[in-house]
Amino acid sequence: MEQFRLVYRHPVVEMLLLLVVFFQVGSGIRLIYRRNAKTAAEKIQVYSGLYLSFFLLAHVGAVLSGRYIDHLDTNFYFAAAGLNYYPATFIFIPYYFLAVASISLHVSAIHYLKTKSTTMSFGISILGLITSFLIVAAFTDTFHWREMPSPYEKFIRNLF
């Protein structure tokens, strides 16, 4: 992670990544207004895309705020803190679960709309839901709740 940060935290690269996020969110929302979702696959694509837009904006905002305002290292502990302390768990477990699930549902819906392959689309969806659960389980030490370093625990407890 430390080595990769040298690349993605370079000011030029970081600005490009932020522009890509805003372009992705903006173009996705614009596409919603240009088409009328009629089928289940189209509705799944729209709703999962809307959640991904929300997640990307909230996630980027939280990471930048954590790094520049709260002066925290936005690492595993920054992401995991909200999943491990009550009452934040009620927000962050669904927040992360739905983010990963939305990616797979979005891809699955697009795959179905392009190929009409229900088997593969269903498989993509199931794989994404399983992955969502496994990520939440890993971040919470299989729901035994991880201890966080003091700055991260203080950060999340101050939010709630």
Side-chain angles (χ1 to χ4, degrees), residues 2 5 19 27 38 82-83 94 102 124 133 136 146 154:
E2 294 296 326
R5 282 180 173 176
L19 288 172
S27 64
K38 293 178 182 129
L83 285 91
S102 290
I124 293 168
F133 177 79
V136 169
R146 291 184 185 277
K154 287 178 186 172

Side-chain angles (χ1 to χ4, degrees), residues 36-69:
N36 186 12
K38 293 178 182 129
T39 67
E42 290 170 330
K43 289 177 183 177
I44 289 170
Q45 182 185 13
V46 166
Y47 294 131
S48 62
L50 282 171
Y51 188 81
L52 287 171
S53 294
F54 159 75
F55 178 82
L56 282 171
L57 294 175
H59 185 72
V60 167
V63 168
L64 293 177
S65 172
R67 190 165 15 133
Y68 293 117
I69 295 171

Side-chain angles (χ1 to χ4, degrees), residues 110-132:
I110 294 167
H111 179 76
Y112 177 78
L113 292 169
K114 297 290 184 191
T115 67
K116 302 298 184 213
S117 170
T118 55
T119 304
M120 184 61 87
S121 298
F122 185 74
I124 293 168
S125 297
I126 295 302
L127 183 62
L129 293 170
I130 292 168
T131 302
S132 297

Side-chain angles (χ1 to χ4, degrees), residues 6-132:
L6 296 174
V7 176
Y8 76 80
R9 283 194 178 173
H10 185 279
V12 173
V13 175
E14 190 170 54
M15 186 56 62
L16 285 172
L17 288 171
L18 289 171
L19 288 172
V20 167
V21 166
F22 292 125
F23 175 79
Q24 188 71 33
V25 169
S27 64
I29 290 171
R30 194 175 125 239
L31 282 173
I32 290 170
Y33 286 108
R34 295 181 76 199
R35 67 189 304 198
N36 186 12
K38 293 178 182 129
T39 67
E42 290 170 330
K43 289 177 183 177
I44 289 170
Q45 182 185 13
V46 166
Y47 294 131
S48 62
L50 282 171
Y51 188 81
L52 287 171
S53 294
F54 159 75
F55 178 82
L56 282 171
L57 294 175
H59 185 72
V60 167
V63 168
L64 293 177
S65 172
R67 190 165 15 133
Y68 293 117
I69 295 171
D70 297 301
H71 306 290
L72 289 170
D73 185 8
T74 50
N75 56 17
F76 171 84
Y77 295 113
F78 181 79
L83 285 91
N84 286 281
Y85 291 107
Y86 174 85
T89 55
F90 291 116
I91 294 171
F92 286 100
I93 288 176
Y95 171 75
Y96 281 110
F97 180 89
L98 289 172
V100 177
S102 290
I103 292 168
S104 65
L105 292 172
H106 199 69
V107 169
S108 173
I110 294 167
H111 179 76
Y112 177 78
L113 292 169
K114 297 290 184 191
T115 67
K116 302 298 184 213
S117 170
T118 55
T119 304
M120 184 61 87
S121 298
F122 185 74
I124 293 168
S125 297
I126 295 302
L127 183 62
L129 293 170
I130 292 168
T131 302
S132 297

